[in-house]
Amino acid sequence: MPSYDMKCKHCNNEFTTMVSIRAKEKGEIACPHCGSHDVNQIFKNVNFIKGGASAASSSNRCSAGGCGSCHACSA
């Protein structure tokens, strides 16, 4: 199941949730703080796969420290 970063329009709470794509498309995601379904997806983290191993990063640098294959590593 995919993980989504969300922000509630009602109370401004930011949260991460794991739901099916179908549930997201149907608007079934509720804010855990106030229960509102009036939420938007936000983009905070970047997830990438390198060399067959999965790694997640919230920065603009590769976790391996310089693969040279992306803009962040060649900068």
Side-chain angles (χ1 to χ4, degrees), residues 28-63:
E28 296 175 354
I29 300 173
C31 174
H33 182 73
C34 71
S36 173
H37 287 272
D38 195 10
V39 297
N40 282 335
Q41 183 176 3
I42 58 175
F43 298 93
K44 293 177 15 176
N45 295 316
V46 176
N47 298 314
F48 57 90
I49 298 172
K50 180 179 183 266
S54 178
S57 173
S58 59
S59 69
N60 63 351
R61 302 294 295 168
C62 291
S63 62

Side-chain angles (χ1 to χ4, degrees), residues 5-35:
D5 293 318
M6 308 297 289
K7 184 172 184 176
C8 178
K9 290 183 185 180
H10 182 74
C11 69
N12 290 321
N13 181 44
E14 291 185 7
F15 60 98
T16 301
T17 186
M18 290 181 63
V19 296
S20 68
I21 294 170
R22 181 173 296 188
K24 179 182 171 280
E25 290 174 349
K26 289 183 174 184
E28 296 175 354
I29 300 173
C31 174
H33 182 73
C34 71

